[in-house]
Amino acid sequence: TDHPTEQQIHAEAQPPSATFPRQRCARQQSRLPRPRPRLQADLSRPACRSTDRRGTGQRTAARKRAMALSIKVRPWMLVVMWVVEVVLNGLAATVLSDGATSNAEYSFVQPDPSTFSVWIVIFILQAVFVVAQFVGDLADVPGIEEARAWQLGNFATNGLWLVLNGLGSRGFSWWLAVVDIALNLVCLVKLYTVLDVDYTRVDVSWKQKLAIYLSPSSNLPWVVLATLLNISNTLFDPTELDLVEAPIGGPDWAIAVVGLATVIAAFLALTRVDVVYVIITVWALSGIWRNQQPDTDAPWGAEGVSANLELMTIICMAALGAAALTGVVALIIIMAPRGSSGERKD
């Protein structure tokens, strides 16, 4: 019989994994799924998955926005909520209070009672916005689907504020009204930004601008000042310090509020030619100015009027007029038809 050679003995002593490494690896590789061949259009992209967090965040935000819009606000919902808002306004004016703060000690930011007549204009322009949702393509502007939701929230929070503010004048919580008007301001800011209110846009017709843009342009500036006014009135305590020297709600505070409102309105006038925003702001500032006249019915009386606050309101109103005029002139120049560059007249 043949005796096994030394090489055969050495091979038998080795484990299977060491004896047949190549054959085992070949069998394992044959079991793996074959990679899908990349198309010609995919050759420009990397083979590995992208780890761009910005792209992931954008996709997540898009999904959330799509989920939020899955329950669309129908135009008839706006009709119902606008009617509720107007009814609550009448309830606050006739049952709870006058809808303002005439029965309370208020700060120097407070305009005179006649200034609140601006709500007639605001309600009318809100009604125009609602009616435009049913008329042809007037509401066919970018962002209108999401804008309806924020307008609905605006109607709801504004109507609720009229009730809460009336209850506050009867001894209930003033801070609850402040929270509500802050939510109202958020709804209006979102409405303004979602619609991208800009009167220099060429992709939106002037009919659409008048029907859709005028509502947020008139409502937002008033609520900006009304929010600052509610905070000032709530923090203002005329019994703690001298009325004129009060740190919050006094003339110095009111001058800062007037300046802030003016800067915002001037910026929108110069960048978006939002003249309506400027007009409403000027009207509110004129109310503050009228409360600084000797015949004022304000709690501080004729002896407490602030000459500095009166001067500040005059300067800011003049500055806003100049800003609005500059914006209109720039808009006319930008949109003016231009002749052919090749033509030359001697």
Side-chain angles (χ1 to χ4, degrees), residues 60-238:
T60 303
R63 285 195 297 267
K64 290 182 178 179
R65 190 178 299 110
M67 292 174 61
L69 294 178
S70 59
I71 304 177
K72 294 183 179 180
V73 174
R74 305 299 179 183
W76 65 265
M77 298 180 184
L78 293 176
V79 176
V80 173
M81 190 54 65
W82 182 83
V83 172
V84 171
E85 177 191 29
V86 174
V87 170
L88 290 176
N89 178 70
L91 177 66
T94 58
V95 178
L96 297 176
S97 74
D98 61 349
T101 53
S102 61
N103 295 327
E105 294 288 349
Y106 48 74
S107 67
F108 278 75
V109 185
Q110 182 80 18
D112 74 327
S114 64
T115 315
F116 292 89
S117 61
V118 71
W119 275 107
I120 299 175
V121 177
I122 295 175
F123 283 145
I124 292 175
L125 294 179
Q126 287 179 351
V128 172
F129 180 96
V130 173
V131 172
Q133 310 303 312
F134 301 91
V135 180
D137 59 346
L138 283 181
D140 188 17
V141 297
I144 191 61
E145 293 289 342
E146 186 177 355
R148 288 173 183 163
W150 294 111
Q151 184 72 293
L152 189 72
N154 172 38
F155 293 166
T157 52
N158 178 60
L160 181 60
W161 178 86
L162 295 168
V163 175
L164 294 177
N165 199 61
L167 292 174
S169 65
R170 291 194 167 196
F172 199 62
S173 172
W174 286 112
W175 276 112
L176 191 58
V178 171
V179 172
D180 180 78
I181 200 170
L183 295 175
N184 186 208
L185 178 61
V186 171
C187 290
L188 281 168
V189 170
K190 290 295 295 183
L191 175 65
Y192 196 93
T193 54
V194 166
L195 287 174
D196 192 15
V197 177
D198 188 348
Y199 292 87
T200 66
R201 294 180 62 172
V202 296
D203 61 328
V204 179
S205 68
W206 276 104
K207 289 182 179 180
Q208 293 171 329
K209 292 175 182 177
L210 296 177
I212 303 300
Y213 286 176
L214 288 184
S215 176
S217 290
S218 61
N219 203 344
L220 178 60
W222 181 263
V223 174
V224 167
L225 273 168
T227 304
L228 296 173
L229 170 63
N230 274 226
I231 295 174
S232 303
N233 288 350
T234 304
L235 295 176
F236 180 60
D237 185 5

Side-chain angles (χ1 to χ4, degrees), residues 38-45:
R38 298 175 65 190
L39 301 177
Q40 185 68 24
D42 297 333
L43 295 179
S44 60
R45 295 185 295 179

